[in-house]
Amino acid sequence: RKEVEQDPGPFNVPEGATVAFNCTYSNSASQSFFWYRQDCRKEPKLLMSVYSSGNEDGRFTAQLNRASQYISLLIRDSKLSDSATYLCVVNMYTGNQFYFGTGTSLTVIP
Amino acid sequence: GAVVSQHPSWVICKSGTSVKIECRSLDFQATTMFWYRQFPKQSLMLMATSNEGSKATYEQGVEKDKFLINHASLTLSTLTVTSAHPEDSSFYICSARGGTSGLSYEQYFGPGTRLTVT
């Protein structure tokens, strides 16, 4: 079983829509969780860290469910510029091992 | 803050030559640097993890003699692809861990190096 699993999509949504991605992780000892965004032929950029209490940054909301071992990313009022691949990343505090999901592709359509 | 640079951003070389890629953390000291490879339409694949002053830890299946990693300082790590072959053509991305905040668990990625071996 993979350490981190994501639905690869693609998700094609109209502008203004709300879209949610989920990501599951297998190691219950995982402590740090992140969402990265990667544009085509570019490096991943940190979108947001995911905190236990959940956190929001503008149109983006991230949540963590430790009991079910998944994290989610909600994007409200989608913009064309949100089109990208969203990577889920999981890490344990004590290690340098970061586990990446394969990414979820999002295309926002005018 | 937390800017990582890579050089070169793009390189074409002939089969059999060696290519060195530099990764620098510009505004913070990186306790750990990571090297990834990404083929078109695939996810990032971790190649190795390096800590300053010590030998890199390579992932299974990655040849340490072919991909030489040197992490000489807290702001610089280099990856040398030795005797490159066309199948080594890929997007190589480094990342650094360690930031300006007390919690330094995020990774910050360099812009990547696109290597084409002819």
Side-chain angles (χ1 to χ4, degrees):
Chain A
R1 184 184 172 189
K2 289 183 181 178
E3 294 281 350
V4 178
E5 298 206 53
Q6 284 182 257
D7 181 348
F11 284 68
N12 299 315
V13 303
E15 229 177 332
T18 295
V19 62
F21 309 135
N22 280 340
C23 165
T24 59
Y25 59 95
S26 61
N27 192 330
S28 59
S30 301
Q31 294 293 328
S32 303
F33 308 91
F34 312 93
W35 283 103
Y36 280 79
R37 170 199 169 123
Q38 186 175 26
D39 292 287
C40 187
R41 299 171 74 86
K42 298 282 188 180
E43 78 278 19
K45 291 188 186 294
L46 179 65
L47 181 64
M48 56 200 304
S49 301
V50 186
Y51 303 123
S52 296
S53 56
N55 46 304
E56 187 175 308
D57 182 4
R59 298 181 293 109
F60 299 86
T61 301
Q63 290 194 314
L64 167 64
N65 185 318
R66 287 191 184 276
S68 301
Q69 294 182 204
Y70 76 83
I71 65 172
S72 64
L73 177 68
L74 181 78
I75 305 175
R76 290 182 298 277
D77 188 24
S78 299
K79 311 289 184 192
L80 297 178
S81 56
D82 293 334
S83 299
T85 296
Y86 290 83
L87 300 169
C88 165
V89 182
V90 173
N91 172 238
M92 291 186 288
Y93 279 156
T94 56
N96 276 321
Q97 198 73 356
F98 286 77
Y99 297 99
F100 283 76
T102 53
T104 298
S105 174
L106 171 67
T107 301
V108 180
I109 305 164
Chain B
V3 178
V4 177
S5 71
Q6 260 184 262
H7 177 79
S9 56
W10 182 55
V11 59
I12 300 175
C13 70
K14 290 186 177 180
S15 189
T17 59
S18 295
V19 176
K20 180 188 277 190
I21 303 170
E22 290 187 351
C23 177
R24 293 180 186 273
S25 56
L26 298 185
D27 53 358
F28 67 101
Q29 292 188 323
T31 52
T32 306
M33 286 185 170
F34 305 86
W35 287 96
Y36 295 86
R37 182 167 53 181
Q38 187 175 35
F39 293 104
K41 298 188 178 181
Q42 293 188 25
S43 62
L44 289 168
M45 187 192 81
L46 179 65
M47 298 175 68
T49 302
S50 74
N51 292 295
E52 183 262 341
S54 61
K55 289 184 179 180
T57 302
Y58 289 80
E59 295 299 301
Q60 195 172 10
V62 179
E63 299 174 58
K64 61 181 66 176
D65 294 329
K66 180 170 180 60
F67 299 99
L68 301 177
I69 291 173
N70 183 276
H71 193 159
S73 75
L74 283 171
T75 59
L76 173 64
S77 177
T78 61
L79 167 69
T80 302
V81 182
T82 62
S83 187
H85 290 285
E87 57 267 29
D88 297 325
S89 299
S90 186
F91 189 44
Y92 290 85
I93 311 175
C94 74
S95 72
R97 183 183 190 183
T100 54
S101 62
L103 289 177
S104 55
Y105 303 112
E106 295 96 351
Q107 283 186 78
Y108 295 92
F109 287 83
T113 297
R114 197 160 300 280
L115 170 64
T116 301
V117 184
T118 60

